[in-house]
């Protein structure tokens, strides 16, 4: 069971980027047990009439011209018996309209539809059809979601819009069998090898169950530039000044509880290729000393730097010791992932307009 709704509303920052869900593909539809069709002689018996020759002639004309049932055939010439429908698969795909994984805490189990059963029962006929295939269940997730087996291997990294992964396959549909008495068994075998030998064969008509799997979904924000710094250093203010993003801004620490994204537009006045490619910026919640040990908002937000190519250190120039503040953040990055220090970085001194 997921967290209560009130917790999701009040503490969304604890749940927005991680979720555990269970998915189940649809079961296959069932086949059928079919009786042998009546022989042509039953359909083509001459009509009994009271009249004389003319009616008798009609009877002779009809004799031997009974309806011949035409069956759909396999490549080997055997009759194609109907099968149950394939169960629905489960697919996860990256959708730009999705922003977080909060919805997966409200609904933790997702099931695809089962395949349809063979539509007809009774006698084998040419009008029989296969069961309908179950519809694929397509589940949208935010761009940047990593899909992995619960406590297992990574299945996919859905880093681009439209990326998708099949996480559970639907069950195969059951086959159909011909039920024929012993004296008709040879004739039945001539039609199809799928002849029921005894009642235990009925299990072959049952559709197979769909796959079921528990998944761990981990969201890593997709951004080119990550803004990091101590709480209240002005990261959100900087983001709002240079992009169209409108994050919550206040003069107290930990205003930002979840990463904010903004897009830096290119400036065509600088000339071709000078500053023509826009970049996505992510404003991450503030770090404090010991964040890698879980202090403050903890270390989990540092996973959102995984995809960034440049790190921007925003430092409050009006603080008591700006140099030490910068070192604290660098140390936290190093203790979380030493590779973060190998990336290009820029140091931005903020609040330089304050008198002190």
């Amino acid at each position: 069971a997921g967290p209560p709704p009130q917790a999701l509303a009040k503490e969304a920052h604890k749940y927005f980027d991680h979720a555990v869900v269970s998915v189940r593909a649809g079961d296959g539809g069932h086949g059928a047990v079919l009786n042998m069709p009546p022989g042509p002689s039953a359909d083509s018996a001459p009509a009994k009439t009271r009249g004389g020759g003319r009616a008798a002639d009609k009877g002779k004309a009809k004799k031997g011209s009974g309806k011949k049932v035409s069956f759909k055939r396999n490549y080997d010439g055997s009759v194609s018996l109907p099968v149950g429908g394939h169960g629905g698969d489960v697919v996860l795909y990256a959708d730009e309209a999705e922003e977080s994984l909060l919805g997966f805490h409200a609904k933790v189990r997702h099931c695809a539809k089962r395949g349809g059963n063979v539509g007809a029962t009774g006698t084998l006929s040419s009008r029989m059809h296969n069961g309908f295939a179950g519809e694929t269940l397509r589940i949208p997730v935010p761009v940047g979601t990593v899909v992995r087996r619960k406590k297992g291997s990574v299945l996919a990294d859905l880093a681009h819009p439209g990326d998708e992964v099949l996480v559970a396959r639907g069950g195969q549909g059951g086959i159909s069998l011909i039920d024929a008495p012993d004296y008709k068994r040879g004739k039945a075998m001539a039609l199809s090898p799928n002849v029921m030998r005894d009642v235990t064969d009925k299990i072959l008509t049952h559709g197979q169950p769909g796959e079921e799997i528990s998944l761990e979904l981990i969201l890593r924000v997709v951004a080119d530039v990550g803004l990091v710094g101590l709480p209240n250093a002005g990261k959100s203010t900087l983001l709002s000044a240079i992009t169209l993003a409108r994050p919550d801004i206040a003069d107290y620490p930990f205003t930002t509880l979840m990463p904010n994204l903004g897009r830096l537009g290119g400036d065509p006045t600088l000339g071709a290729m000078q500053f023509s490619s826009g970049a996505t910026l992510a404003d991450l919640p503030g770090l404090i000393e010991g964040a890698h040990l879980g202090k403050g908002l903890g270390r989990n937000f540092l996973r959102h730097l995984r995809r960034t190519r440049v790190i921007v250190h925003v430092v409050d120039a009006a603080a008591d010791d700006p140099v030490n503040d910068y070192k604290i953040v660098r140390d936290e990055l190093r203790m979380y992932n030493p590779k973060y220090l190998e990336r290009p970085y820029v140091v931005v001194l903020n609040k330089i307009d304050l008198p002190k």
Side-chain angles (χ1 to χ4, degrees):
Q6 58 268 29
L8 287 179
K10 291 182 179 179
E11 300 180 308
H13 62 281
K14 292 183 179 180
Y15 306 106
F16 83 100
D17 60 354
H18 183 266
V20 175
V21 297
S22 172
V23 300
R24 192 182 196 284
D27 296 342
H30 299 321
V33 177
L34 308 170
N35 297 319
M36 284 284 292
S41 57
D43 294 335
S44 56
K48 290 183 179 180
T49 61
R50 294 180 183 177
R54 190 172 291 183
D57 290 342
K58 285 184 180 178
K60 287 178 183 177
K62 287 185 179 179
K63 188 173 182 179
S65 61
K67 292 180 181 177
K68 186 176 181 181
V69 182
S70 175
F71 295 111
K72 186 179 177 183
R73 302 274 175 174
N74 295 317
Y75 67 91
D76 61 356
S78 61
V79 171
S80 176
L81 299 179
V83 296
H86 193 280
D89 299 329
V90 181
V91 171
L92 269 59
Y93 70 97
D95 185 354
E96 290 181 289
E98 299 294 320
E99 296 182 346
S100 78
L101 299 174
L102 288 174
F104 290 99
H105 292 280
K107 183 179 179 182
V108 297
R109 185 168 173 80
H110 302 260
C111 300
K113 292 184 177 180
R114 70 185 307 276
N117 298 334
V118 169
T121 57
T123 304
L124 176 64
S125 77
S126 58
R127 292 188 294 273
M128 298 191 127
H129 57 78
N130 296 334
F132 294 106
E135 185 178 354
T136 297
L137 176 62
R138 295 179 56 81
I139 304 174
V141 296
V143 176
T145 299
V146 176
V147 183
R148 63 187 303 166
R149 297 177 187 274
K150 186 180 178 183
K151 298 179 181 178
S153 58
V154 173
L155 298 178
D157 185 356
L158 307 179
H160 306 97
D163 285 355
E164 60 180 52
V165 58
L166 175 67
V167 292
R169 295 182 184 276
Q172 291 284 350
I175 65 173
S176 291
L177 298 173
I178 297 176
D179 185 15
D182 290 342
Y183 70 91
K184 283 189 175 181
R185 190 168 294 268
K187 194 173 182 181
M189 291 293 290
L191 288 175
S192 171
N194 292 354
V195 176
M196 193 166 74
R197 295 166 299 180
D198 53 51
V199 290
T200 60
D201 280 350
K202 277 190 177 181
I203 195 172
L204 299 175
T205 65
H206 296 171
Q208 297 179 2
E211 294 178 343
E212 185 168 6
I213 184 174
S214 291
L215 299 172
E216 186 179 11
L217 306 180
I218 303 167
L219 177 60
R220 294 176 187 157
V221 166
V222 178
D224 304 301
V225 180
L227 305 181
V228 297
L230 294 184
N232 214 31
K235 300 180 294 298
S236 297
T237 305
L238 176 62
L239 184 73
S240 67
I242 60 178
T243 73
L244 296 178
R246 290 296 173 262
D248 292 332
I249 298 173
D251 59 355
Y252 52 83
F254 296 119
T255 310
T256 301
L257 296 178
M258 292 189 287
N260 296 303
L261 293 179
R263 183 135 184 98
L264 194 67
D267 186 354
T269 61
L270 295 176
M273 304 304 291
Q274 293 300 307
F275 186 56
S276 58
S277 62
T280 303
L281 280 68
D283 155 34
L284 301 187
L287 293 167
I288 64 171
E289 190 170 6
H292 69 285
L293 299 175
K295 293 184 179 179
L297 290 177
R299 66 199 290 268
N300 287 340
F301 287 105
L302 292 174
R303 78 159 68 102
H304 297 292
L305 288 175
R306 187 76 59 92
R307 304 184 196 276
T308 58
R309 293 181 290 167
V310 177
I311 293 177
V312 173
H313 290 270
V314 182
V315 179
D316 183 355
D320 294 336
D321 191 348
V323 175
N324 186 56
D325 292 349
Y326 163 70
K327 288 180 178 179
I328 288 175
V329 174
R330 289 279 289 182
D331 286 343
E332 291 300 321
L333 296 182
R334 176 179 57 79
M335 285 184 277
Y336 181 83
N337 186 347
K339 291 184 178 179
Y340 285 171
L341 300 189
E342 299 173 6
R343 295 185 188 173
Y345 67 94
V346 178
V347 179
V348 174
L349 291 177
N350 198 19
K351 305 184 186 180
I352 57 174
D353 53 320
L354 295 182
K356 66 176 183 178

